[in-house]
């Protein structure tokens, strides 16, 4: 693993970390689930004093009592994001058990078969995903006053191109949003996408995609501290998921995480007596930063998937 390029050196006389041992209308698309009808059960009439029943949201005919919003169900199945699902429903591009659904808030049983109109699939195929080598000084998401969002770097003169690379077009910026965070004082791989499916895979609550970082540190770290970095720390009264942390050299650690809490690595290091001097994300899932130059971007290649 290469060291972080341009990382600051430890000041003279500063204690170096002690290295410990590493430890069309026709519905097409993928169908999911099956619809099974349940027998109706006899119910007792309500007594006159029963409280008024609240209005129920719009629903698909024949729904079961455990019905949930179709947009949520679509997101859980990875068909699209909830925002895109609402858009497809409003356009009449969603079919539930073969019936078109066009009313927002509609519900269906968890076992329902959901398919997308070919027009929705065409929209998804046209969505772009961009990889940016973010420099220090840019924020990944919505900027605070005085901060510059990383998306401003997605310009034609900053595109890292090869002979078979598509050219930049202003439409590339439409709906482009970061899928995950990278702190203002960190560098490395940042994903920006128009595709809600990609965003959900990377930052959804059930995401299992790991992220790799190279971290240059100062301070003292014994074997117990290294073990705590791997598993045993909590942030904001919540236990962190197990991580993979190991020494690469005398002052650089390699972190592999499966979550992305705010300033997580810096706060983890503080808890064990380390100070982060430089942090660089080099991999998300199977997609690597590679030789993408600092401050430049490229499109996700056809063979690359998260």
């Amino acid at each position: 693993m290469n060291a972080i390029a341009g990382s600051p050196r430890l000041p003279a006389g500063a204690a170096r970390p002690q290295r410990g041992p590493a430890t069309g209308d026709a519905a097409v698309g993928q169908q999911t689930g099956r619809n099974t009808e349940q027998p109706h059960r006899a119910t007792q009439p309500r007594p006159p004093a029963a409280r008024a029943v609240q209005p129920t949201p719009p629903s698909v005919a024949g729904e079961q009592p455990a019905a949930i919003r179709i947009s949520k169900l679509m997101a859980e199945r990875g068909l699209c994001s909830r925002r895109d699902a609402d858009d497809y429903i409003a356009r009449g591009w969603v079919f539930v058990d073969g019936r078109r659904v066009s009313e927002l808030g509609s519900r269906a049983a968890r076992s329902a078969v959901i398919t997308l109109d070919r027009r929705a699939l065409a929209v998804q195929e046209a969505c772009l995903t961009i990889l940016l080598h973010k420099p220090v000084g840019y924020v990944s998401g919505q900027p605070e006053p005085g901060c510059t969002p990383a998306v401003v770097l997605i310009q034609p003169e900053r595109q890292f191109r090869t002979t078979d690379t598509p050219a930049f077009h202003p439409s590339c910026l439409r709906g482009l949003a970061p899928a995950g965070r990278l702190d203002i004082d960190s560098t490395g791989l940042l994903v920006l996408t128009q595709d809600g499916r990609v965003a959900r895979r990377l930052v959804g609550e059930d995401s299992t995609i790991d992220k790799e970082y190279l971290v240059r540190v100062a301070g003292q770290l014994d074997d117990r501290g290294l073990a705590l970095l791997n598993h045993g720390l909590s942030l904001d009264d919540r236990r962190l998921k197990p991580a993979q942390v190991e020494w690469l050299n005398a002052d650089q650690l390699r972190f592999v995480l499966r979550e992305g809490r705010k300033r997580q690595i810096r706060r983890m290091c503080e808890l064990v007596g380390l100070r982060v001097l430089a942090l660089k994300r080099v991999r998300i899932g199977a997609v690597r930063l590679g030789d993408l130059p600092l401050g430049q971007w490229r499109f996700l290649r056809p063979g690359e998937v998260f």
Side-chain angles (χ1 to χ4, degrees):
M1 181 66 62
N2 294 329
I4 304 175
S7 299
R9 298 179 177 276
L10 292 178
R16 298 178 68 86
Q18 295 178 349
R19 180 170 183 173
T23 53
D25 289 343
V28 297
Q30 182 179 5
Q31 298 189 358
T32 56
R34 299 190 60 180
N35 187 27
T36 58
E37 297 185 359
Q38 302 294 331
H40 294 286
R41 295 182 178 179
T43 57
Q44 296 296 325
R46 290 180 180 271
R51 59 177 179 159
V53 178
Q54 295 296 324
T56 56
S59 59
V60 175
E63 70 177 17
Q64 301 301 321
I68 64 172
R69 283 181 178 267
I70 294 172
S71 58
K72 180 179 180 181
L73 191 58
M74 292 170 66
E76 288 180 354
R77 296 182 183 181
L79 295 175
C80 59
S81 67
R82 292 189 67 168
R83 178 183 298 179
D84 289 341
D86 283 336
D87 180 50
Y88 298 162
I89 291 171
R91 292 170 179 255
W93 291 352
V94 177
F95 295 80
V96 177
D97 293 330
R99 299 184 60 181
R100 187 191 304 274
V101 177
S102 58
E103 189 170 3
L104 293 178
S106 297
R107 294 172 177 258
R110 285 192 173 274
S111 58
V113 176
I114 300 177
T115 53
L116 297 179
D117 187 282
R118 56 174 53 90
R119 287 168 291 186
L121 298 177
V123 168
Q124 291 183 336
E125 287 298 320
C127 288
L128 297 172
T129 296
I130 283 174
L131 308 180
L132 170 68
H133 189 164
K134 189 190 85 66
V136 169
Y138 293 85
V139 294
S140 54
Q142 292 294 327
E144 299 177 0
C147 298
T148 305
V151 70
V152 303
L153 298 173
I154 311 303
Q155 298 297 331
E157 62 271 17
R158 290 182 175 271
Q159 183 180 6
F160 183 64
R161 299 190 61 184
T162 58
T163 55
D164 58 347
T165 301
F168 172 86
H169 187 272
S171 63
C172 298
L173 298 175
R174 189 179 303 123
L176 193 66
R181 65 167 59 94
L182 192 58
D183 299 333
I184 190 171
D185 43 5
S186 299
T187 67
L189 182 60
L190 179 66
V191 177
L192 302 104
T193 186
Q194 299 172 334
D195 194 334
R197 297 170 300 174
V198 171
R200 181 172 178 81
R201 285 197 289 269
L202 295 184
V203 299
E205 293 182 0
D206 55 350
S207 175
T208 59
I209 294 178
D210 58 1
K211 303 170 182 68
E212 181 179 345
Y213 304 81
L214 303 183
V215 186
R216 194 174 298 280
V217 296
Q220 303 293 324
L221 182 68
D222 56 19
D223 291 347
R224 179 178 178 275
L226 184 63
L228 286 173
L229 288 174
N230 277 273
H231 193 207
L233 297 177
S234 297
L235 294 177
D236 304 321
D237 298 322
R238 285 174 51 200
R239 190 72 171 254
L240 293 174
K241 295 180 180 179
Q244 298 176 33
V245 185
E246 62 182 358
W247 286 105
L248 289 180
N249 52 50
D251 60 358
Q252 187 168 237
L253 291 164
R254 171 181 174 266
F255 279 71
V256 178
L257 305 181
R258 290 184 179 270
E259 59 187 329
R261 309 269 288 277
K262 186 175 182 179
R263 299 183 70 81
Q264 177 173 338
I265 291 178
R266 296 176 188 277
R267 295 167 68 192
M268 289 173 68
C269 288
E270 289 174 1
L271 290 174
V272 295
L274 295 177
R275 181 168 59 92
V276 172
L277 302 177
L279 189 154
K280 180 178 183 180
R281 183 158 63 201
V282 296
R283 178 178 62 83
I284 300 177
V287 178
R288 294 188 173 275
L289 180 64
D291 59 355
L292 182 62
L294 183 67
Q296 294 191 30
W297 64 272
R298 67 174 177 84
F299 291 114
L300 188 71
R301 300 181 181 119
E304 293 176 320
V305 292
F306 293 107

